[in-house]
């Protein structure tokens, strides 16, 4: 009798310890995620969790507890479920810290799709840390898989508990995944104390915690429906701008080749306060830029976001108009739609041969699928390129090789060509690419990487200059749009602090005509956004404008550049957008058209607006 009583007493104690252990694991893991989010500051972590935002910290911990119990139920083991949970949270926090360090931007749910990009991840975090993480993850997954396999041998009572737990936690996780539904109870609980900051994801995560920010960026509609959206409103817009475009007489010359070159991380380090050098690494670039239409382009991101800039340039749709949770249209939006109008689809209608070239793999940002949706006739990657030379220790195919690939296309075919090139030579990391550098910087920190980066962009400038010289030998008129997608993530906190925020988001761009006929070729200080590239090129070169490009051209004259929290108007930068009646009408018309395509009924596709 006493023995039975002792067993009964021990079981509640055992279960209590298990519950306490699980809760402690969740608490510590949430503190760890906050620590990684807050630049390893324990002071900020404890203030967030136990003083400033305790309610949000508890809500985030609740979601983590559900995830932990899901893994334990799946494995049929509290121990192995907890081990995999610990590994997962550990890697997630480390990845978030790395992204914050290099790009001052947190991890988004959609970033998890990049987990299979082993080559790029290794280059970003270093070989040794990558191998360590890979080994730990592999060991954890092995034992977790083994536990799932062995779980079939659990007693019937435990199987019932396990399956019930699995069903309940899966249902709850599915419910959590609809966080952005206005009727979601978890979202309503957050809304009681959360101050969401749509224009700054960094501040969003800071104010609502890592878990709050992460949940906020789960699936959502690309754009909210404008109040005045209707078929008639779209028809009125398309008629107005299409009529204006058709009244403009196009050049009677033969169709020109068009080349888009998005140069990885291409920018001028000397534009930043706190960075000087012994000589100009962009000398060859400026030899071209000072003879043609050129200036500064506003980039959405610092240190990354390449695919978003590419999306804007090809589609002429703006990231600023999207809901803030739409962080990467290439992976979150385009796979869900059958057709998206772009310069590719437009030129396909005009019998252009359309080719995309990226000297890297085809899976990055789902480019293979995206390019197919956009209508490219061909996609040339590192696996199918003829020219794959690199420079010294640089692991990426050089710009010179990439330009040779473009030139072959221009010489081979008699039909007009549209070639979209996304380079890789100047991709991070920047240290140890070259044995020596011709450039010696004076900078506030990270001198080695900055010197190597200067050598990188110098090689890139030289390759561009050689490319434009070769284009002069072509009989067919050839137009080039060249731009850097974003600044590299090499600048120290001291340099960032010594520059205003917009300076960290501006790169170089130019438009080049091998016949020298661009109407604005004497403008060298333009400020623009990438979604204006195509309409500006069409207008300056005398090509037939579409109604859509006519709308953008008129908007550009009023608001030459804008992204979330960066608005260039009246030759000044503003944090918010204030518009007069004419400007507001143009902006609203643009917003309605973009909504119609990405979230609406596609009424504008039934018209001649994009043709």
């Amino acid at each position: 009798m006493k023995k039975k009583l002792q067993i009964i007493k021990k079981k509640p104690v055992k279960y209590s310890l298990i519950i306490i252990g699980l809760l402690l694991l969740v608490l510590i893991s949430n503190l760890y995620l906050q620590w990684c989010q807050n630049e390893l500051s324990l002071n900020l972590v404890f203030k967030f969790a136990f003083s400033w935002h305790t309610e949000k910290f508890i809500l985030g911990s609740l979601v983590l507890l559900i995830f932990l119990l899901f893994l334990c139920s799946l494995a049929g083991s509290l121990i192995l479920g907890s081990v995999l949970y610990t590994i997962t949270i550990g890697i997630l926090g480390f990845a978030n810290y790395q992204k914050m360090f290099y790009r001052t931007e947190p991890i988004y749910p959609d970033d998890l799709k990049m987990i299979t990009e082993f080559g790029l991840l290794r280059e970003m975090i270093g070989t040794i840390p990558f191998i360590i993480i890979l080994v730990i993850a592999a060991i954890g997954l092995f034992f977790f898989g083994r536990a799932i396999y062995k779980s079939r041998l659990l007693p019937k009572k435990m199987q019932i508990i396990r399956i019930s737990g699995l069903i309940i936690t899966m249902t709850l996780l599915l419910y959590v995944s609809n966080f952005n539904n206005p009727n979601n109870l978890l979202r309503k609980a957050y809304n009681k104390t959360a101050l969401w900051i749509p224009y700054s994801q960094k501040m969003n995560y800071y104010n609502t915690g890592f878990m709050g920010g992460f949940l906020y960026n789960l699936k959502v509609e690309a754009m909210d429906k404008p109040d005045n959206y209707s078929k008639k409103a779209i028809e009125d817009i398309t008629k107005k701008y299409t009529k204006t475009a058709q009244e403009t007489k196009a050049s009677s010359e033969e169709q020109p080749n068009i080349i888009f070159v998005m140069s990885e991380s291409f920018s001028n380090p000397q534009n930043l306060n706190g960075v000087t050098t012994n000589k100009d690494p962009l000398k060859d670039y400026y030899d071209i830029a000072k003879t043609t239409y050129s200036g500064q382009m506003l980039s959405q991101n610092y240190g990354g976001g390449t695919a978003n800039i590419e999306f804007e340039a090809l589609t002429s749709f703006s990231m600023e108009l999207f809901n803030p949770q739409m962080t990467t249209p290439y992976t979150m939006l385009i796979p869900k739609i059958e057709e998206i109008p772009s310069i590719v689809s437009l030129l396909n209608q005009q019998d252009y041969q359309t080719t995309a070239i990226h000297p890297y793999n085809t899976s990055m940002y789902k480019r293979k699928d995206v390019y197919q949706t956009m209508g490219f006739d061909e996609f040339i990657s590192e696996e199918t390129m003829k020219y794959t030379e690199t420079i010294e220790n640089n692991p990426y195919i050089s710009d010179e090789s990439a330009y040779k690939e473009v030139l072959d296309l221009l010489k081979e075919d008699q039909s007009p060509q549209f070639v979209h090139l996304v380079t890789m030579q100047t991709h991070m990391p920047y240290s140890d690419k070259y044995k020596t550098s011709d450039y010696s910087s004076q900078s506030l920190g990270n001198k080695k990487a900055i010197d190597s980066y200067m050598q990188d962009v110098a090689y890139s400038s030289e390759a561009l200059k050689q490319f434009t010289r070769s284009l002069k030998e072509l009989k067919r008129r050839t137009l080039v749009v060249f731009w850097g997608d974003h600044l590299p993530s090499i600048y120290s906190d001291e340099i960032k602090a010594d520059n205003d925020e917009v300076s960290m988001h501006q790169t170089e761009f130019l438009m080049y005509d091998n016949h020298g006929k661009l109407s604005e070729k004497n403008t060298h200080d333009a400020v623009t956004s990438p979604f204006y590239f195509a309409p500006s090129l069409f207008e300056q070169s005398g090509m037939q404008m579409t109604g859509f490009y006519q709308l953008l051209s008129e908007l550009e004259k009023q608001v030459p550049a804008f992204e979330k929290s960066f608005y260039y108007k009246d030759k000044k930068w503003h944090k918010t957008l204030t518009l007069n009646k004419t400007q507001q009408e143009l902006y609203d018309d643009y917003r309605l058209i973009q909504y119609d395509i990405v979230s609406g009924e596609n009424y504008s596709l039934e018209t001649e607006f994009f043709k």
Side-chain angles (χ1 to χ4, degrees):
M1 187 72 175
K2 286 183 178 180
K3 190 173 182 181
K4 286 184 178 179
L5 190 60
Q6 287 176 347
I7 292 172
I8 291 170
K9 285 181 178 179
K10 284 182 180 178
K11 282 187 176 180
V13 172
K14 180 182 177 182
Y15 292 144
S16 296
L17 289 174
I18 290 172
I19 292 170
I20 291 171
L22 292 175
L23 291 175
L24 277 174
L25 178 57
V26 167
L27 177 68
I28 292 169
S29 64
N30 203 1
L31 289 170
Y32 165 74
L33 291 173
Q34 282 302 124
W35 184 60
C36 294
Q37 178 64 38
N38 291 330
E39 299 176 346
L40 310 185
S41 169
L42 286 173
N43 181 44
L44 287 176
V45 168
F46 285 108
K47 282 183 176 179
F48 178 90
F50 306 118
S51 178
W52 296 340
H53 303 286
T54 305
E55 300 92 336
K56 291 184 279 294
F57 182 78
I58 292 171
L59 289 170
S61 297
L62 177 62
V63 175
L64 289 173
L65 178 62
I66 296 170
F67 179 58
L68 169 58
L69 293 176
F70 165 74
L71 292 178
C72 291
S73 300
L74 184 60
S77 166
L78 287 172
I79 294 175
L80 287 173
S82 298
V83 168
L84 185 64
Y85 171 86
T86 302
I87 292 172
T88 302
I89 297 300
I91 293 173
L92 181 62
F94 176 74
N96 188 60
Y97 173 76
Q98 289 289 105
K99 192 179 179 191
M100 285 294 296
F101 180 80
Y102 285 113
R103 293 178 51 179
T104 64
E105 184 182 54
I107 283 282
Y108 303 126
D110 200 63
D111 290 334
L112 302 182
K113 296 175 182 177
M114 301 289 290
I115 199 167
T116 57
E117 297 292 337
F118 292 141
L120 186 63
L121 292 174
R122 179 182 61 80
E123 290 155 7
M124 289 177 66
I125 67 175
T127 301
I128 294 176
F130 175 76
I131 292 174
I132 292 172
I133 291 172
L134 201 61
V135 169
I136 293 173
I139 293 172
L141 287 172
F142 171 78
F143 283 103
F144 187 74
R146 187 167 172 266
I148 294 174
Y149 179 74
K150 291 179 68 176
S151 66
R152 75 191 197 285
L153 304 175
L154 289 171
K156 185 177 180 180
K157 183 179 179 181
M158 291 301 297
Q159 286 285 20
I160 292 172
I161 294 173
R162 173 182 175 247
I163 293 171
S164 298
L166 196 58
I167 292 171
I168 292 170
T169 54
M170 283 179 66
T171 302
L172 288 172
L173 288 175
L174 183 63
Y175 185 79
V176 168
S177 71
N178 288 305
F179 183 79
N180 285 308
N181 185 315
N183 295 317
N184 187 282
L185 295 177
L186 180 62
R187 176 61 182 266
K188 286 183 177 181
Y190 262 99
N191 286 346
K192 290 179 180 179
T193 57
L195 176 63
W196 306 109
I197 304 178
Y199 59 83
S200 173
Q201 290 284 15
K202 181 182 176 181
M203 289 302 297
N204 212 21
Y205 275 63
Y206 182 84
N207 284 340
T208 62
F210 175 84
M211 287 303 300
F214 194 82
L215 292 169
Y216 181 77
N217 281 283
L218 289 170
K219 61 183 179 180
V220 71
E221 276 294 324
M223 293 176 66
D224 294 331
K225 184 179 179 179
D227 293 336
N228 57 337
Y229 177 69
S230 67
K231 185 173 184 179
K232 184 179 186 310
I234 295 299
E235 287 176 346
D236 289 345
I237 292 170
T238 57
K239 286 178 183 177
K240 178 170 65 172
Y241 296 104
T242 301
K243 181 181 178 182
T244 304
Q246 291 173 348
E247 289 172 353
T248 305
K249 190 176 180 181
S251 170
S252 59
E253 294 182 9
E254 69 172 348
Q255 294 171 301
N257 295 319
I258 299 176
I259 316 297
F260 273 19
V261 181
M262 185 168 70
S263 184
E264 171 62 39
S265 299
F266 189 91
S267 63
N268 187 351
Q270 295 183 97
N271 286 344
L272 299 178
N273 297 325
V275 182
T276 57
T277 184
N278 57 328
K279 56 181 180 177
D280 186 4
L282 268 64
K283 181 183 180 303
D284 289 330
Y285 167 83
Y286 285 120
D287 284 347
I288 310 164
K290 68 186 180 183
T291 68
T292 190
Y293 181 65
S294 58
Q296 297 280 295
M297 183 209 82
L298 176 62
S299 176
Q300 185 208 16
N301 292 100
Y302 165 78
T306 298
N308 292 350
I309 304 303
E310 182 179 12
F311 170 83
E312 289 191 328
L314 291 175
T315 65
S316 292
F317 291 136
S318 169
M319 292 293 298
E320 193 268 350
L321 298 176
F322 283 135
N323 281 323
Q325 298 95 329
M326 181 54 62
T327 54
T328 315
Y330 267 23
T331 57
M332 299 172 71
L333 173 67
I334 293 184
K336 300 176 183 177
I337 58 182
E338 294 182 4
E339 179 184 1
I340 186 164
S342 67
I343 188 173
V344 188
S345 59
L346 172 62
L347 295 178
N348 279 337
Q349 296 165 12
Q350 299 177 17
D351 298 324
Y352 273 73
Q353 176 70 25
T354 56
T355 307
I357 302 176
H358 183 44
Y360 202 60
N361 65 53
T362 60
S363 64
M364 190 72 170
Y365 290 115
K366 292 187 175 180
R367 277 197 173 93
K368 184 177 181 180
D369 297 332
V370 169
Y371 289 161
Q372 185 174 355
T373 300
M374 285 189 175
F376 278 103
D377 295 319
E378 185 179 11
F379 178 20
I380 300 174
S381 68
E382 62 180 355
E383 296 177 357
T384 53
M385 288 179 69
K386 299 176 187 175
Y387 307 98
T388 57
E389 291 80 5
T390 60
I391 305 174
E392 293 188 29
N393 297 325
N394 192 327
Y396 303 112
I397 293 172
S398 69
D399 286 3
E400 182 181 1
S401 297
Y403 286 133
K404 287 179 180 178
E405 204 78 30
V406 176
L407 288 169
D408 273 10
L409 290 171
L410 301 182
K411 293 173 182 176
E412 283 177 2
D413 207 301
Q414 295 301 312
S415 61
Q417 298 280 326
F418 172 67
V419 184
H420 172 59
L421 168 63
V422 181
T423 72
M424 280 295 290
Q425 176 194 293
T426 44
H427 199 284
M428 67 177 297
Y430 297 103
S431 299
D432 304 320
K433 276 186 176 180
Y434 308 111
K435 296 172 185 176
T436 59
S437 174
D438 297 329
Y439 302 87
S440 178
S441 66
Q442 297 294 323
S443 62
L444 301 172
N446 217 10
K447 172 179 165 55
K448 183 178 180 182
I450 291 174
D451 287 356
S452 182
Y453 171 72
M454 286 186 177
Q455 184 65 67
D456 237 345
V457 291
Y459 285 139
S460 183
S461 295
E462 182 182 356
L464 176 64
K465 190 173 185 178
Q466 291 174 352
F467 178 60
T468 55
R469 283 175 177 169
S470 298
L471 294 180
K472 289 180 180 179
E473 299 173 6
L474 298 178
K475 291 182 180 179
R476 184 185 291 270
R477 187 184 186 188
T478 301
L479 308 171
V480 178
V481 183
F482 173 95
W483 73 94
D485 53 357
H486 54 73
L487 270 68
S489 55
I490 56 175
Y491 298 112
S492 64
D493 291 340
E494 291 82 3
I495 291 175
K496 292 175 188 175
D498 204 25
N499 290 272
D500 57 39
E501 197 173 1
V502 73
S503 297
M504 307 304 296
H505 287 259
Q506 286 186 287
T507 66
E508 313 306 308
F509 91 92
L510 62 77
M511 294 184 185
Y512 175 81
D513 178 356
N514 67 342
H515 288 182
K517 295 180 180 179
L518 292 180
S519 62
E520 302 297 321
K521 64 181 180 181
N522 294 322
T523 299
H524 314 310
D525 58 352
V527 177
T528 192
S529 283
F531 47 83
Y532 288 132
F533 283 155
S536 178
L537 183 71
F538 272 51
E539 184 176 41
Q540 290 195 49
S541 61
M543 295 181 69
Q544 180 62 58
M545 298 284 278
T546 65
F548 182 50
Y549 284 176
Q550 182 66 39
L551 165 58
L552 278 160
S553 180
E554 292 183 26
L555 180 60
E556 182 180 20
K557 290 176 176 63
Q558 301 294 327
V559 190
F562 61 92
E563 289 290 352
K564 283 185 172 66
S565 76
F566 302 110
Y567 301 93
Y568 187 72
K569 190 170 72 78
D570 301 325
K571 297 187 177 180
K572 293 180 181 178
W573 287 103
H574 307 270
K575 279 286 186 181
T576 57
L577 186 58
T578 304
L579 302 173
N580 61 36
K581 185 178 179 180
T582 300
Q583 295 164 345
Q584 190 67 54
E585 182 179 343
L586 287 164
Y587 182 83
D588 288 345
D589 287 349
Y590 180 39
R591 184 162 56 102
L592 278 165
I593 292 297
Q594 183 161 319
Y595 173 82
D596 181 58
I597 295 298
V598 303
S599 296
E601 301 299 325
N602 292 172
Y603 298 131
S604 56
L605 289 181
E606 300 170 7
T607 70
E608 300 293 311
F609 192 59
F610 295 100
K611 299 176 183 177

